[in-house]
Structure formats: structure tokens, C-alpha cells
Amino acid sequence: MEKKKSNLGVLLGAAFIMAISSSGPGFLTQTAKFVNDYHGGFGFVILISMILAVIVQLNVWRVLCVSGLRGQDVANKVLPGMGYVIAALIVLGGLVFNIGNVGGGALGFNALLGVDLKWGYIITCALGVLIFLFKNAGKAMDMLTKVLGGIMIAIILIVIFIVQPPVGTAVKETFVPSVGYTTLFPAILTLLGGTVGGYITFSGAHRLIDAGITKQEHLGQIKQSSVMGICVATLVRILLFLAIFGVVVKGVSLDPSNPAADAFKQGAGELGYRFFGLVLISASITAVVGAAYTSVSFLKTLSKTVAKHEKWFIVGFIVLSTLVMEVIGQPAQLLVLAGALNGLILPLTLGICLVASQKPEIMGESYHHPKVLLVLGIVVVILSAYLGITSLGKLFA
């Protein structure tokens, strides 16, 4: 018997885990780098990437939640064995992102409190692990993502009031970028990958499945949660764009080793730098939790051992990310590339979900996928594949 839930907390939690996972330290670094490179033209990147993201999310969340199957299980039903390929790609991408997330947390503690980076790695790891040691880790994760997401939005708003960006110029550049449309393709792919690429596409949907919010009877709640996730992600992106644009428009060139921190420092002085530390801590810890939870969720239906000891595999994933970060260091370039690589995975994962949406044996005999979503989804698959192919050389360069 299906368990019916109409818990707003779970719906918000799923929305925030998707939105704030996509707004981690990689997103902060990517945004600062691209605003520094393209100035107001980055508004166009946000506009296009968020339109594409809405189409992706509505398709993927519908297919997964109505079928009640996680991404890897849907893939295996579409093409036997494909679920293992998808799981491997998602987990690898999630690990790369999580290494950077741990590094981002350390940078945040360093900026806020002057903590040494090596201790910052350990503190970030410990806080991420702590969430999954609670008896009800799902509720703890929902609460964490909402609280830290709210802190991020509030602080970025304060910085906007301090730097006072030229909003009119930002709006104009959003629709008619002075740098040219084709120049922005690599940035669109990277931001799309960081918004709905890799594990992020599935994070909120897997949370709803774990909470039992599945099948057609919950379709309204599924749509509500997916739209809330995109709205929160869009809000964070617009606000951060305006905060950084208000700095670079004055002719400031950001430090490439940590462009986001430099933007807050040059825009709002030492106070801005401390603010950035708190934003980065909030973004990093939330992203560490989201990446670990979703990555392991791709393994638990493929392995009984993982399913039985899911909590400890999540803890191990976070610890492994921390150990690798200790060895690698300097995550900024890794984070930008990880977003781009996740964008390359997107055509495959979305394409599989679109095929599944047309199969009654997966979706149920009574389900009919909206034609407009199917057509728009196909357009996104083609467009994201094209962007990936044309941008690959530039991104690796």
C-alpha cells in the first residue's frame, strides 16, 4: 500500500536540496569567473540555462516520481545495463564535485574565522557526516538545506545593497549581450551542468521517492516541489550575479585563484569578505550533503550491501572526498570543469527519461506524458549535446 504524504517540509526539503546543491562552491566560483569574463552578458547565460533547466527538471522529476523508480533503475528498464553506466558517471561526477565542495567549505572557514585549510577540510567533513548520524537523517537534511539556503540568500541581498549594481544595464545585457551570443556557449553549458547536470538533476526527485511521494496521485506535489527548486536556484543565481556585477562593472578584475571571495572583498571590504566566508560555508556543507546522499542513492538499488548500509556509505563518500581534497588542493579550476562535464552527461540522462516517459510498462498504463514537455525535452537533448560538442575544446583549454 502506497504511503500518502502531503508534507510541505519534505516538498520544500526536496526543492532546496536540488536548488542549494546546484548553488555550491562550484556555482559561486563559476559565476564569479564568468561575470568577470563577460560582465552583464552573464545575465543571458542565466536566462538560457534556467529555461533549459526548467524543462529538464519537469521531465526528469515526473518520470522518476510517477514511476517510483530512481534514475539508474529507469535506465536499466530502458536499456538493460545502462543503469550501471549512468550510476558510474553520476557517482564519479558527484565525487569530483564533492572534493571541491569540501575545499570550498575550508575556504569558507578560512575567510570567516581564519581557520587553516587543513582544519577547514576536517570541520566541513565532520559537519557533513554529523547530519547522517541523526536517527532521522532525511528530516535533518531537509532542515539543514532550508536554513543554510535562507542564510545564503539573506547575505547576498545585503552585499547587493552595499555594491548597488546597475540593474538596468544587467537587464539589457540579459537579453542583448554585448559580448555576442556564441561567445557565451561554454558558460551556458557549464552553468546548465552545474544546475541540472550529473547528480543534481536527480537529487530532489530521489528525496521525494525516499519520502514515498510517488505515483500519479502525487503528481501535483511532484510538480510543486520541482518548480520550487528551480525558483530558489534561479533566485540565488540572479542575486549573486547582481552582487558580483556591481563590483566588476567598476573596472575591477577579480583574482582568478578565488574570484568569488575577491568580488565580495572588493565590493564590501573586510565585512564583505567575512560575509563571503559564511555564504561559502553554507553552500559547501549543503552541497557536500546533497552530493553524497544522491551519489550513494544511485548505488543502493544496484547493490544490496549499499542499500543495507546506506548511511555508512554516505559517510564514507564524504570522508573519501575529504582525503582526496587534502592531496589535490586548489579546487577552483576543478569545480568549473566538473560543471562542464556534468553538462555533457545531461543529454544522456534526459534522453533516457524521455524514452521512459513513452513506455507504459515503466510509467503505468494510465499515465500520459505531456507532449509539450516531450518536444521541449528533445530540443534540450539536441541543444545540450550540440553545446557540449562545440564547447568541449574551449572548456579543456
Side-chain angles (χ1 to χ4, degrees):
M1 180 180 176
E2 288 292 326
K3 186 188 289 186
K4 294 187 177 182
K5 290 187 179 183
S6 56
N7 190 329
L8 182 60
V10 173
L11 299 180
L12 278 170
F16 266 82
I17 194 174
M18 173 263 144
I20 306 303
S21 288
S22 71
S23 303
F27 155 73
L28 296 173
T29 302
Q30 291 159 11
T31 299
K33 178 189 181 303
F34 290 132
V35 174
N36 188 52
D37 291 346
Y38 306 124
H39 287 209
F42 187 70
F44 178 76
V45 175
I46 293 177
L47 177 65
I48 299 302
S49 63
M50 297 319 292
I51 290 172
L52 299 177
V54 168
I55 297 168
V56 173
Q57 289 293 106
L58 290 177
N59 273 296
V60 171
W61 284 43
R62 268 179 170 267
V63 170
L64 268 59
C65 294
V66 171
S67 69
L69 299 171
R70 292 174 182 83
Q72 68 274 23
D73 301 318
V74 169
N76 270 336
K77 284 187 173 292
V78 170
L79 183 64
M82 182 55 73
Y84 293 92
V85 175
I86 295 295
L89 290 171
I90 296 292
V91 172
L92 181 60
L95 180 62
V96 172
F97 250 126
N98 224 32
I99 293 165
N101 292 337
V102 171
L107 289 172
F109 281 109
N110 180 262
L112 182 65
L113 301 170
V115 175
D116 181 78
L117 288 180
K118 291 190 179 295
W119 280 106
Y121 301 147
I122 294 170
I123 296 169
T124 303
C125 174
L127 291 173
V129 166
L130 183 64
I131 295 300
F132 295 100
L133 297 183
F134 279 93
K135 187 175 181 180
N136 193 331
K139 284 189 176 179
M141 185 170 62
D142 290 343
M143 180 59 68
L144 177 85
T145 53
K146 287 181 282 188
V147 170
L148 294 185
I151 290 171
M152 281 179 64
I153 292 170
I155 292 174
I156 296 170
L157 269 172
I158 292 171
V159 174
I160 287 174
F161 283 120
I162 294 173
V163 301
Q164 297 184 339
V167 177
T169 303
V171 171
K172 178 186 173 185
E173 288 276 320
T174 295
F175 295 98
V176 188
S178 57
V179 295
Y181 296 105
T182 55
T183 307
L184 299 171
F185 281 180
I188 292 171
L189 176 70
T190 302
L191 203 67
L192 184 64
T195 308
V196 289
Y199 78 91
I200 298 168
T201 323
F202 302 94
S203 55
H206 282 199
R207 175 70 188 108
L208 290 183
I209 291 171
D210 283 344
I213 301 178
T214 59
K215 306 300 180 186
Q216 269 189 268
E217 63 203 71
H218 289 119
L219 189 54
Q221 293 180 20
I222 294 163
K223 289 190 291 186
Q224 180 185 1
S225 188
S226 63
V227 170
M228 282 192 297
I230 289 294
C231 288
V232 173
T234 303
L235 176 63
V236 175
R237 273 157 173 67
I238 292 171
L239 293 179
L240 189 64
F241 162 55
L242 289 174
I244 297 174
F245 183 51
V247 176
V248 300
V249 77
K250 296 169 184 173
V252 171
S253 184
L254 302 181
D255 178 0
S257 66
N258 198 347
D262 196 37
F264 275 67
K265 188 171 186 177
Q266 296 208 46
E270 191 63 29
L271 179 62
Y273 188 62
R274 303 294 178 187
F275 276 164
F276 170 76
L278 191 52
V279 168
L280 192 52
I281 290 169
S282 301
S284 299
I285 293 174
T286 309
V288 164
V289 169
Y293 165 78
T294 310
S295 296
V296 172
S297 75
F298 266 85
L299 300 175
K300 69 180 184 180
T301 59
L302 303 178
S303 167
K304 290 181 179 178
T305 303
V306 176
K308 186 177 179 180
H309 305 288
E310 179 186 7
K311 177 170 70 175
W312 297 112
F313 272 89
I314 293 173
V315 168
F317 191 90
I318 296 172
V319 172
L320 176 62
S321 304
T322 304
L323 292 175
V324 176
M325 187 67 245
E326 287 274 6
V327 176
I328 293 178
Q330 301 301 319
Q333 290 179 327
L334 181 69
L335 287 166
V336 174
L337 185 59
L341 293 177
N342 272 348
L344 296 173
I345 298 172
L346 178 60
L348 179 61
T349 53
L350 177 57
I352 287 169
C353 286
L354 293 177
V355 173
S357 74
Q358 303 304 300
K359 290 184 175 292
E361 63 270 25
I362 296 176
M363 302 302 299
E365 295 292 337
S366 62
Y367 177 78
H368 300 287
H369 200 69
K371 295 294 182 187
V372 65
L373 276 183
L374 176 63
V375 172
L376 289 174
I378 292 170
V379 171
V380 174
V381 168
I382 295 169
L383 186 58
S384 59
Y386 169 74
L387 285 173
I389 293 167
T390 57
S391 302
L392 195 57
K394 294 178 183 177
L395 288 165
F396 276 103

